[in-house]
Amino acid sequence: MRAVARTRGSTLRLPAVATVSGPEDHPGHAVAWAADFAAGTEVRLRILRELALPEARPPRADEVWLWLGMPALPSGLTDWPSNLPWLSDQEASRTRRFHFAHDRWSHSTAHAALRILMSELLDCPPRDVRLSSTSKGKPVLCRAMHPAATCRAVHFNISHTRGMVAVALSGSPVGVDVEPVRALPDMRQLVTDLMAPEALAAFDNTASEAQKMNLFFRYWTLGEAFIKATGQGLDQGLDSFAFTPCGTARLTKVTPGWGDPGRWHMGFSAASANRTEEK
Ligand code: COA
Ligand code: MG
């Protein structure tokens, strides 16, 4: 409990961040998560109302805990140096390498938020959380430094983009992605070049430019969340899977080797959708 109190107190020391509780709170951004659960599992998604664990225990295998943060005020973007004390030296130096204050803010905030949540689980100061990464770049807990059972049981992922950051914790492999929804001049070409034929067909069947933009970012964020949940990153061909174009987000196809598509659960929300869809 001491760790919880310490972490709760520490949220007050991330002054640049406002916790986002639902899609209506993040106009202009798309959010997606994906996790590898047994098919048929009833997934429990919990949007964290503050930067602290909702329970004094790790998330269970059927749970996803998602924290979303935005700059509290546009002027808060220049507060990014207040995130540095939470970070490892390597993370701090990567933050400083970004040219723009918003990128420094989002990179440092995502890493600080992850450390604050993980410190609560591990009962250690945030800077003592030791991370390493798989050969494909997926961050994981360092097995040499933390209890093996915790390393096996706790899965996490982060995403940082201009104006929004996300941290996902789960008892199952999880990925998360956030993106600003914006018009891109070459959207159809990107879908053609990168995504599955099913995605292109859905894109071409969508009438208005606004709907095309939303569909594009639905596929984009779900795709990133999925390849981050599998841990394969871009090595997993982006045309090797497809999702439902509307309604409940789920995989409609995935190349053999990833098992039953039904074992993957996911959610997507964007301000225009005005709700979070689960499973
Ligand atoms: N699996 C899971 N997580 C990974 C990962 C992997 N293989 N590789 C990196 N990550 C994590 C890291 O924590 C990274 O943050 P860090 O570098 O600050 O530690 C974080 O994901 C970055 O995610 P995000 O903020 O969403 O950045 P991104 O959108 O630029 O990168 C990746 C996403 C990881 C998938 C990357 O491979 C990439 O460069 N993608 C390019 C965009 C693209 O083509 N997307 C496909 C859309 S369908
Ligand atoms: Mg991303």
Side-chain angles (χ1 to χ4, degrees), residues 14-29:
L14 283 182
V17 183
T19 293
V20 173
S21 57
E24 63 284 0
D25 288 350
H26 56 86
H29 284 83

Side-chain angles (χ1 to χ4, degrees), residues 3 10-11 29 40 52 100 131 152 166 175 183 189 205 246 250 259 261:
S10 73
T11 63
H29 284 83
F100 294 106
L131 303 173
R152 273 195 304 275
Q189 197 58 50
N205 276 337
C246 55
R250 59 183 168 76

Side-chain angles (χ1 to χ4, degrees), residues 14 25 36 52 75 96 131 168 177 189 226 243 272 274:
L14 283 182
D25 288 350
D36 181 5
S75 58
R96 288 196 185 90
L131 303 173
D177 192 51
Q189 197 58 50
F226 180 55
F243 306 101
S272 53
N274 210 30

Side-chain angles (χ1 to χ4, degrees), residues 35-44 61-62 250 260-266 279:
D36 181 5
F37 297 128
T41 302
E42 196 59 43
V43 179
R44 287 185 285 172
D62 62 351
R250 59 183 168 76
D260 173 6
R263 89 178 204 210
W264 293 95
H265 294 246
M266 52 202 62
K279 260 196 351 168

Side-chain angles (χ1 to χ4, degrees), residues 49-60:
R49 305 284 161 182
E50 59 183 281
L51 187 50
L53 298 183
E55 313 268 349
R57 60 167 176 81
R60 299 196 173 102

Side-chain angles (χ1 to χ4, degrees), residues 84 97 113 125 133 165 178 187 201 222 228 241:
L84 295 181
R97 269 185 255 145
S133 55
V165 299
V178 288
M187 255 176 342
L222 283 169
K228 291 166 81 177
F241 50 80

